Amino acid sequence: MFVPLAQSLVFGLLVGALYGLAAVGLSLVFGVTKFLNVAHGELLMLGGYASFWAFTLRGVDPFLTLPLTMVFLLVIGVVLYKLLFAHMVKLTEEAKIQNTLLVGFGLSLILQNVALRLWTADTRGITTSYSRMAFTFLGVRFPIVRVASLGIALIALFALDLFLRRTYTGKALRATVENWEAATLMGIDIQRVYLLSFVMGAALAGAAGCLVSVGYSIDPGMGMSWTLKGLIVMVLGGLGSFMGTFVGGIVLGVTESATGYFLTLTYREVVGLVLFILVLVFRPQGLFGTKER
Amino acid sequence: MLKLSGINAAYKDLQVLWDVSIQVDEGELVALVGSNGAGKTTTLRVISGLLKPASGSISFQDHSLGKESAHRIVELGISQVPEGGKIFTGMSVLENLELGAFVARARKDKDQTLKWVYEIFPRLEERKNQRAGTLSGGERQMLAIGRALMSKPKLLLLDEPSFGLAPILVEQIFEMITEINRQGVTVLLVEQNVRAALELAHRAYVIENGRIVGQGTGEDLLSFESVRRAYLG
């Protein structure tokens, strides 16, 4: 009884870290720009394919390509932002959300179909020489690759936190989240802050995609479900706290696998949505968010 | 130093300012007074670049501000304390002040300016590590002014610094404003508290329904019959 349950909770925790990482990117972009980029999952998918092809064609280790994948997505982020999002900066918050939803859905369809065309619908994954390695603790298996992914997700998160707290640019970003008009009056060029947060979000999606491709599997249609997980986690964790968002990811991962264990796997996907509704009804500021002041 | 001539400005289709002309000379403390909704805040928003005028010209020193973006205007030396302060409540007092010195011109002298701001507002130094959201109303206003000073402005725009404060605090804040002006910062003060503003200012403009309807020295306006009747009761 203990081992299978613990095992499934551990797997939940490990996948939850990736939910968290995906959601942090989404939440960063939304928090600063109020752009709800529903193509975030597709960016993650592109990150996954980038490391998959680097590994398959060149044999480069996915953990080594991770920074490159992030840079690659950063560049894609710049292009997408300039092309599709930049002109929406001046809109009201509500109009921004609506417009970006539309643009994001369109973009996600395009990216999915381009991926389908270029790389077929096959499910892919990276199998390295150490992919099957795991260590066992109290009878519970910890696959090395997924544990490393958890570590990397944590490092990315701490780096982000440090950036936001310690650097002038990071503070400018937080100021823009609180009040963009007051931020402008500080002499902060909020257009640049918007661009920066958007591309940082894209880079985080790239990192998450890379980790998904090595610990799990990727396919052209994966984006939508990752965006959905990201949205659920974002609401679960609450806006404004990236650590909270990350923990929210782990909560979702663990809840999903507990559901899979006690009920059946079919209910796994449903539980996230149930959680989503419960949080919205009983704690709309999220598990770790603060109420509007 | 600052010159607005023939400014017309509108929010979407609603015109708020009509042919507004104002001048502020270096070293002056000028007040812009008028009732709620007269166009005072809009005038400041036009100067700081948050709202682009439909027509008219604005110049600051030798620069034309009409096409400059708001963040560039801060770099040029104009800093606005927005209505209600709009401090960053989730950040510490010190972080708020640091953000005030965001522009390159101010950032290099940040530590020195910080000392100066702490001299004017010792309370802010006592509270520097506190979250700004925990400050009292008066302290928030001090922080908002201190934050604006951190950008080493040549011209300081103040939007209703007395708003929502107890009379004793209003007096304190106004004393501090006089002191800041005495130290060489030109001030344009927008106020609903007409008597206090007119007593403080070297010169003042009266704005009504988006039009400048009177100007003169503070003393002149205080004795002006129509001003007395309209604002001083």
Side-chain angles (χ1 to χ4, degrees):
Chain A
M1 162 79 194
F2 169 74
V3 171
L5 175 60
Q7 182 68 71
S8 109
L9 293 184
V10 164
F11 280 147
L13 174 108
L14 292 172
V15 74
L18 297 187
Y19 293 169
L21 190 59
V24 165
L26 195 65
S27 173
L28 175 70
V29 175
F30 183 72
V32 178
T33 63
K34 299 290 177 273
F35 291 168
L36 195 51
N37 179 18
V38 286
H40 193 72
E42 272 67 30
L43 298 179
L44 196 139
M45 181 261 296
L46 290 181
Y49 273 102
S51 16
F52 172 78
W53 288 116
F55 177 76
T56 310
L57 300 177
R58 292 265 174 261
V60 195
D61 188 276
F63 287 106
L64 289 178
T65 50
L66 188 115
L68 289 177
T69 309
M70 289 179 79
V71 173
F72 172 61
L73 260 293
L74 198 134
V75 172
I76 291 185
V78 172
V79 174
L80 291 179
Y81 182 86
K82 295 271 179 200
L83 230 56
L84 299 172
F85 293 94
H87 67 278
M88 288 190 257
V89 167
K90 299 247 151 150
L91 298 178
T92 63
E93 192 170 310
E94 201 179 326
K96 267 186 197 166
I97 295 177
Q98 289 166 351
N99 282 295
T100 48
L101 266 175
L102 279 175
V103 169
F105 270 122
L107 182 61
S108 79
L109 285 177
I110 292 170
L111 292 177
Q112 271 176 44
N113 283 290
V114 168
L116 200 59
R117 182 95 194 167
L118 289 175
W119 307 313
T120 75
D122 292 351
T123 297
R124 323 246 193 178
I126 295 176
T127 313
T128 58
S129 55
Y130 50 85
S131 282
R132 293 187 161 279
M133 281 197 227
F135 60 87
T136 312
F137 180 71
L138 296 175
V140 180
R141 283 186 77 239
F142 291 82
I144 277 184
V145 169
R146 294 188 190 182
V147 173
S149 298
L150 171 73
I152 288 170
L154 281 174
I155 291 170
L157 201 67
F158 280 116
L160 177 68
D161 193 63
L162 220 58
F163 167 76
L164 290 173
R165 277 180 200 290
R166 294 289 159 83
T167 68
Y168 238 114
T169 316
K171 284 173 190 170
L173 220 135
R174 280 160 60 211
T176 311
V177 174
E178 277 207 36
N179 190 322
W180 67 266
E181 204 165 273
T184 307
L185 291 176
M186 301 300 105
I188 295 167
D189 181 354
I190 62 160
Q191 296 267 8
R192 281 178 59 189
V193 169
Y194 278 21
L195 172 65
L196 178 71
S197 66
F198 191 87
V199 301
M200 279 172 61
L204 285 171
C210 175
L211 297 177
V212 171
S213 76
V214 58
Y216 305 86
S217 64
I218 56 170
D219 65 88
M222 69 191 275
M224 200 58 90
S225 97
W226 279 91
T227 301
L228 191 62
K229 303 258 195 244
L231 287 173
I232 293 172
V233 170
M234 199 168 101
V235 171
L236 205 63
L239 282 172
S241 151
F242 295 121
M243 286 295 170
T245 307
F246 187 74
V247 176
I250 289 176
V251 169
L252 178 65
V254 170
T255 317
E256 274 187 2
S257 48
T259 315
Y261 179 81
F262 288 112
L263 300 169
T264 60
L265 281 176
T266 10
Y267 287 102
R268 265 186 65 137
E269 300 297 315
V270 183
V271 71
L273 295 170
V274 172
L275 216 55
F276 182 77
I277 292 167
L278 287 179
V279 166
L280 280 184
V281 172
F282 294 108
R283 211 180 148 77
Q285 73 271 34
L287 296 179
F288 310 99
T290 42
K291 279 190 180 148
E292 289 277 318
R293 280 173 296 266
Chain B
M1 181 183 218
L2 176 79
K3 193 170 182 189
L4 277 72
S5 24
I7 293 291
N8 289 289
Y11 293 109
K12 297 237 169 89
D13 297 331
L14 182 70
Q15 183 159 358
V16 182
L17 295 183
W18 307 77
D19 195 27
V20 167
S21 300
I22 287 178
Q23 195 178 332
V24 180
D25 293 328
E26 189 145 9
E28 273 191 311
L29 199 171
V30 175
L32 175 64
V33 298
S35 55
N36 202 5
K40 305 186 299 294
T41 295
T42 308
T43 308
L44 291 194
R45 288 174 67 88
V46 166
I47 299 169
S48 59
L50 290 173
L51 180 70
K52 289 293 156 199
S55 64
S57 72
I58 318 168
S59 64
F60 176 66
Q61 294 181 321
D62 294 327
H63 302 275
S64 163
L65 300 186
K67 290 209 167 58
E68 290 286 4
S69 51
H71 64 93
R72 277 281 306 152
I73 290 176
V74 184
E75 182 86 44
L76 289 173
I78 300 182
S79 189
Q80 184 186 345
V81 179
E83 205 172 355
K86 304 249 167 62
I87 55 169
F88 303 115
T89 51
M91 302 170 120
S92 73
V93 168
L94 182 59
E95 281 179 316
N96 268 272
L97 293 172
E98 283 173 342
L99 278 165
F102 185 82
V103 293
R105 178 176 54 76
R107 207 182 295 183
K108 56 178 178 8
D109 303 332
K110 190 183 72 179
D111 296 337
Q112 218 178 331
T113 323
L114 191 63
K115 266 192 210 140
W116 176 55
V117 169
Y118 283 159
E119 264 166 39
I120 302 172
F121 303 109
R123 189 72 68 83
L124 295 181
E125 185 166 20
E126 290 164 25
R127 311 240 183 238
K128 63 182 176 190
N129 294 319
Q130 221 167 299
R131 208 164 55 80
T134 64
L135 297 182
S136 71
E139 291 166 343
R140 283 174 186 234
Q141 194 55 251
M142 290 178 201
L143 177 56
I145 298 173
R147 189 180 63 175
L149 290 179
M150 287 298 292
S151 72
K152 299 181 70 183
K154 296 167 193 152
L155 172 65
L156 183 67
L157 309 175
L158 291 160
D159 195 350
E160 301 268 2
S162 74
F163 184 78
L165 297 184
I168 175 92
L169 282 172
V170 173
E171 211 171 291
Q172 277 181 24
I173 292 278
F174 277 18
E175 268 168 31
M176 288 162 180
I177 294 170
T178 317
E179 179 55 32
I180 290 163
N181 176 246
R182 208 175 293 142
Q183 296 195 18
V185 182
T186 311
V187 176
L188 176 59
L189 168 72
V190 149
E191 261 300 334
Q192 254 186 89
N193 191 339
V194 176
R195 185 192 296 275
L198 292 184
E199 282 170 357
L200 194 73
H202 304 131
R203 283 192 309 116
Y205 293 87
V206 181
I207 188 167
E208 226 171 68
N209 296 323
R211 289 183 173 85
I212 299 290
V213 294
Q215 56 173 302
T217 64
E219 281 165 26
D220 283 351
L221 288 171
L222 274 172
S223 58
F224 210 53
E225 188 52 35
S226 63
V227 172
R228 292 187 74 92
R229 220 173 328 118
Y231 302 108
L232 305 174

